[in-house]
Amino acid sequence: MKKLIGIAAAGAMLVALAGCASAGGGTADGPKPLDELVVGFAQVGAESGWRTANTKDIQSAFEEAGIELKFSDAQQKQENQIKAIRSYIQQQVDVIAFSPVVETGWDAVLNEAKAAGIPVVLTDRAVDSKDDSLYVSFLGSDFVEEGKKAGQWVLEEYADATEPVEIIQLEGTTGAAPAIDRAEGFAEVIAENPALEVVASQTGDFTRAGGKQVTEALLKSNPGVDLIYAHNDDMGLGAIEAIEAAGLVPGKDIKIVTVDAVKDGMQALADGKINFIVECSPLLGKQLIEIVKQINDGEAPEKRIITEETTFTQEQAIEALPDRQY
Ligand code: GYE
């Protein structure tokens, strides 16, 4: 009898969940066939090698799954992303997924999606909102942890330092989750050794050109710099160009630590121009498909799905490079 009640309760729950799904773009009659599902994806832009790999991976995962993907590139502007999300709401897509360029300022548009009954999935970057009912799941890396891993390498590298170690930080896009969190994690760890000092910190907007320009200027005002911590590979690659142009040797005269581990970054690491890279995986496509399917099936996806990632030394980069897909 007990068992029967259990089954009845489970049945009632399923009905309730299916109700949620219908409010969320599925049909009241149960899941839609995959080839009838439509997902709108509002991408940040094409600012880095990471982003290009992320876009490719998402597009091919949808193609493989046979689910229609409407894709837009916001060129790193929040207003463009908001416009794209509004147009997806208007088109009554089944699910909206997006990677918020900055953390704040999303409540209004996400409330519109909620009112329209369209579930929202955050991929890669978080929003800073008190209302976590505005999205069903957040899939991506733990950026604070990435900053800590970068800081840990610096801490060990300069464990015996008696003189001050001058560090320049190249920040990602101002207000973006990975810029805020990678700075926070790094600062927390290097605080353990007072010799480690961030003498300058400026945004290079996650681009190679930005990293180069900022480094050029900061090398002039900080000629004694020992290390550059860049929030992504692309800015680190820009820094390499600036360091070489100044007649210095990247990786030796000035050490470089970055985050991402995309192919160009890994090549520079293997070549000895970067000293350490913390991996941040852009391959979120397959997991996003799983989340979309769960929503379509009336199941509640996990609220927070954290990407697994590692770190690379120069030796490890030489070994890993031949199999690197992106
Ligand atoms: O590290 C950087 C990109 O949000 C994790 O955005 C992403 C970051 C990535 O531009 O290269």
Side-chain angles (χ1 to χ4, degrees):
M1 190 58 188
K2 240 189 180 161
K3 206 171 175 191
L4 264 182
I5 292 169
I7 289 169
M13 243 182 79
L14 267 180
V15 170
L17 277 170
C20 287
S22 75
T27 66
D29 316 322
K32 280 187 180 178
L34 294 186
D35 60 1
E36 284 177 24
L37 277 179
V38 182
V39 176
F41 189 88
Q43 181 61 291
V44 170
E47 74 280 7
S48 64
W50 189 99
R51 189 65 54 197
T52 313
N54 178 247
T55 293
K56 254 199 203 156
D57 187 64
I58 285 169
Q59 287 173 334
S60 59
F62 274 84
E63 223 173 87
E64 219 169 273
I67 299 173
E68 186 184 337
L69 178 69
K70 290 185 186 289
F71 184 89
S72 62
D73 172 339
Q75 298 182 319
Q76 285 186 287
K77 291 202 177 73
Q78 181 171 34
E79 70 219 60
N80 292 346
Q81 273 193 312
I82 291 175
K83 251 188 235 156
I85 294 170
R86 289 216 166 103
S87 105
Y88 296 146
I89 295 172
Q90 211 171 17
Q91 294 170 63
Q92 297 181 308
V93 300
D94 297 293
V95 176
I96 292 172
F98 83 114
S99 173
V101 59
V102 290
E103 278 191 344
T104 54
W106 300 102
D107 283 42
V109 72
L110 293 185
N111 268 306
E112 290 167 32
K114 193 178 170 185
I118 303 175
V120 171
V121 179
L122 303 178
T123 68
D124 155 38
R125 295 184 183 178
V127 295
D128 184 3
S129 168
K130 291 205 169 58
D131 183 359
D132 75 355
S133 77
L134 294 179
Y135 61 92
V136 292
S137 184
F138 166 31
L139 161 67
S141 310
D142 181 338
F143 301 133
V144 176
E145 194 52 40
E146 291 171 350
K148 283 186 184 169
K149 287 178 187 167
Q152 196 57 39
W153 186 85
V154 175
L155 200 62
E156 283 161 27
E157 182 70 9
Y158 295 99
D160 304 324
T162 45
E163 305 272 297
V165 177
E166 292 189 21
I167 300 170
I168 285 176
Q169 177 170 240
L170 300 178
E171 302 164 18
T173 303
T174 306
I180 296 168
D181 295 353
R182 285 172 186 166
E184 184 191 314
F186 185 77
E188 193 189 310
V189 172
I190 65 160
E192 285 177 38
N193 181 354
L196 302 172
E197 201 188 329
V198 177
V199 292
S201 186
Q202 260 183 44
T203 181
D205 214 10
F206 279 130
T207 66
R208 210 175 279 211
K212 184 178 178 194
Q213 212 184 330
V214 172
T215 306
E216 265 165 11
L218 291 183
L219 283 183
K220 288 191 188 124
S221 43
N222 302 274
V225 61
D226 299 291
L227 178 129
I228 292 180
Y229 165 45
H231 288 178
N232 78 343
D233 286 351
D234 280 78
M235 292 190 294
L237 292 162
I240 290 174
E241 290 176 31
I243 292 169
E244 286 176 340
L248 297 167
V249 183
K252 296 222 160 55
D253 295 330
I254 300 175
K255 294 192 172 135
I256 303 178
V257 175
T258 66
V259 185
D260 274 355
V262 293
K263 222 174 196 148
D264 289 354
M266 290 289 274
Q267 187 61 59
L269 182 61
D271 294 344
K273 296 183 177 193
I274 291 179
N275 301 78
F276 188 67
I277 301 185
V278 177
E279 184 185 39
C280 176
S281 175
L283 308 180
L284 305 177
K286 283 210 170 73
Q287 282 168 296
L288 177 57
I289 293 290
E290 281 318 305
I291 295 172
V292 168
K293 284 183 180 168
Q294 283 175 329
I295 294 171
N296 186 44
D297 289 341
E299 291 164 20
E302 270 179 63
K303 194 80 189 182
R304 176 72 173 108
I305 302 169
I306 299 178
T307 319
E308 278 177 35
E309 36 214 16
T310 181
T311 59
F312 295 98
T313 60
Q314 293 174 334
E315 296 72 34
Q316 289 165 332
I318 293 169
E319 228 172 273
L321 250 181
D323 303 323
R324 211 69 188 156
Q325 300 300 316
Y326 56 89

